[in-house]
Amino acid sequence: MTGQVAQAPNAAGEASDDLLTVGVEEEFLLVDPHTGAAVPAVDLVMQQVPPELRGQVEREFQTSQIEIGSPPGLELSSIRHSLGVLRAALADAAERAGVRLLAIGTGPVDGPVPPVVDKPRFDRMIERFRLLVPGPGNNGMHVHVGVPDPDTGVQVLNHVRPWLPVLHAVTTNSPFSRGEDTGYASWRSVEWERWPSVAPTPFLESHEHYERLIRQLISSGVMLDEGMLYWYARLSAKYPTVEIRIGDVCPSVDDAVLVAALVRAMVATAMHDIAHGRPAVRTDHHLLVAAHWRASHDGLEGQGVDLTDGELRPAWDLFDQLVARLRPALERHGDLDEVTDLVAGLRRHGTGAARQRAVFARTGKLVDVVQDVARQTRGTNRS
């Protein structure tokens, strides 16, 4: 967790006119600029980060990773500005340290596995879980949206469950691993699921049920603490927010802003339904697992599972249905025009996974993929 996350401006978890705050955390990979292999350079990069930004930059689990966090805000423009400043500063710091910053789900190029950051909690994780460390580093994006209280937050988790596979498909950004195409749009998702507490959020009866499950999971040994609750959506342990944590880190600021807007609209729509007494859809757990697997495999460029009937549909059709469902909340937050533009850009350029594959198809060189991802990470306009 870095800096502040999306906290609500008042005790109700909402701003005036029922607007919700949103904040973003992003994890990045540090790689050799010549080979693209992950390198254990986080300490060197941290030394190069401007002092005024260090409160928003942190080490992550492995020494090849680094994390940023935007302050919470009501306006997408503030999220865009924060992420743009932080990404550019971190990319500059990485270059001064002799490495390169990548917004990518996991490393595409084979190489030694960088060590874990020297931290007592991480040492305990390695002692218990041993070989679950999945390679060069898994990099995700976490979006926090303010909620009024934990009981409402748990209801929100139930309401957003069926939508998260579509968001999963939107964020796919890791098709390559160990020098080859994995066949998945998000190989990070496959590696991440080695951890025993990674799963779709279960349907929850109450906040007490949520807390009881956490206690039981810790007692079982699959988690050291609440911080290891790696459900795709959860309540923040520190802040009055719902945290959506399904996606690969997005390649560009445009993509990150789009996902942040969609997540806020999801939470706002869920809260509207809760206020009007509309129950959450109780999607079967195993079908939900299947939908997430399909999302990680196909991204938006293939098929997705329609959770209303369990049938396959074009993933883009499911995404268009989601955006239509969220339209009132997007309008209420003043995000609709920007989201419409960003969706059009996503349709033109494809997901991060599709972009990586397009570069590789043109050149046959993963180092070119790495260079293109580095360009997007910094914020250069997509071609």
Side-chain angles (χ1 to χ4, degrees):
M1 304 289 291
T2 308
Q4 293 178 304
V5 293
Q7 301 177 65
N10 59 36
E14 301 179 18
S16 60
D17 300 321
D18 296 324
L19 301 183
L20 305 180
T21 56
V22 61
V24 174
E25 299 168 351
E26 296 186 301
E27 300 161 351
F28 303 99
L29 191 68
L30 302 171
V31 302
D32 183 290
H34 305 294
T35 68
V39 289
V42 66
D43 288 338
L44 293 174
V45 176
M46 289 291 290
Q47 292 170 13
Q48 298 295 328
V49 174
E52 66 272 17
L53 297 179
R54 287 178 185 169
Q56 295 173 269
V57 180
E58 283 189 0
R59 293 165 179 82
E60 238 297 319
F61 185 60
Q62 286 172 259
T63 53
S64 53
Q65 297 175 280
I66 196 163
E67 179 182 18
I68 63 172
S70 75
L74 290 172
E75 302 292 336
L76 283 188
S77 58
S78 66
I79 300 299
R80 177 182 291 281
H81 175 75
S82 295
L83 295 180
V85 168
L86 287 166
R87 281 179 173 230
L90 208 54
D92 287 342
E95 290 181 10
R96 288 193 294 270
V99 298
R100 183 162 287 169
L101 186 76
L102 295 188
I104 195 168
T106 193
V109 177
D110 200 10
V113 176
V116 171
V117 168
D118 185 12
K119 189 175 179 181
R121 180 172 177 268
F122 294 164
D123 292 341
R124 293 196 302 273
M125 290 170 68
I126 294 300
E127 181 180 3
R128 178 172 297 181
F129 299 106
R130 303 302 293 256
L131 293 178
L132 293 187
V133 178
N138 281 172
N139 305 297
M141 174 186 182
H142 307 156
V143 181
H144 290 257
V145 180
V147 292
D149 55 72
D151 291 309
T152 300
V154 164
Q155 293 183 68
V156 168
L157 296 179
N158 287 340
H159 277 260
V160 302
R161 285 173 84 239
W163 302 344
L164 294 185
V166 179
L167 190 72
H168 195 166
V170 171
T171 61
T172 50
N173 186 34
S174 51
F176 297 102
S177 179
R178 302 184 188 278
E180 61 182 281
D181 193 320
T182 64
Y184 284 77
S186 174
W187 186 246
R188 168 193 168 273
S189 299
V190 177
E191 291 186 328
W192 184 232
E193 287 173 4
R194 296 180 184 182
W195 293 94
S197 56
V198 174
T201 309
F203 197 93
L204 300 158
E205 302 302 331
S206 63
H207 184 233
E208 192 281 328
H209 181 208
Y210 180 90
E211 292 187 314
R212 183 171 71 250
L213 281 174
I214 290 173
R215 293 193 299 270
Q216 291 170 337
L217 290 171
I218 292 172
S219 296
S220 76
V222 302
M223 298 179 356
L224 292 180
D225 50 38
E226 187 172 351
M228 284 192 69
L229 186 70
Y230 297 145
W231 291 345
Y232 298 157
R234 68 183 186 184
L235 304 182
S236 170
K238 296 181 179 180
Y239 304 98
T241 64
V242 165
E243 179 185 4
I244 307 299
R245 44 186 299 114
I246 182 57
D248 291 354
V249 65
C250 291
S252 74
V253 171
D254 275 355
D255 300 304
V257 169
L258 172 60
V259 171
L262 293 174
V263 169
R264 175 165 63 180
M266 283 184 186
V267 174
T269 301
M271 291 179 64
H272 182 268
D273 287 348
I274 292 164
H276 288 79
R278 301 185 186 111
V281 176
R282 197 156 186 155
T283 305
D284 181 84
H285 172 78
H286 293 288
L287 186 59
L288 197 60
V289 169
H292 278 288
W293 176 85
R294 193 81 201 195
S296 67
H297 186 273
D298 285 23
L300 278 180
E301 284 69 38
Q303 301 288 302
V305 178
D306 187 337
L307 290 172
T308 63
D309 58 11
E311 298 297 323
L312 288 178
R313 303 275 187 270
W316 265 107
D317 288 355
L318 299 177
F319 179 61
D320 288 340
Q321 290 172 20
L322 173 62
V323 174
R325 173 83 169 90
L326 302 181
R327 184 183 179 97
L330 292 169
E331 286 184 320
R332 190 162 67 251
H333 284 84
D335 297 343
L336 183 60
D337 288 345
E338 182 159 10
V339 165
T340 299
D341 289 342
L342 292 173
V343 168
L346 182 65
R347 197 180 298 274
R348 287 193 304 272
H349 298 287
T351 60
R355 291 173 225 165
Q356 290 185 45
R357 283 172 166 151
V359 172
F360 188 75
R362 288 197 305 269
T363 74
K365 297 177 181 179
L366 281 177
V367 69
D368 292 335
V369 173
V370 169
Q371 290 175 356
D372 189 68
V373 173
R375 177 182 61 81
Q376 293 181 65
T377 302
R378 180 180 281 280
T380 306
N381 291 334
R382 294 195 294 258
S383 57

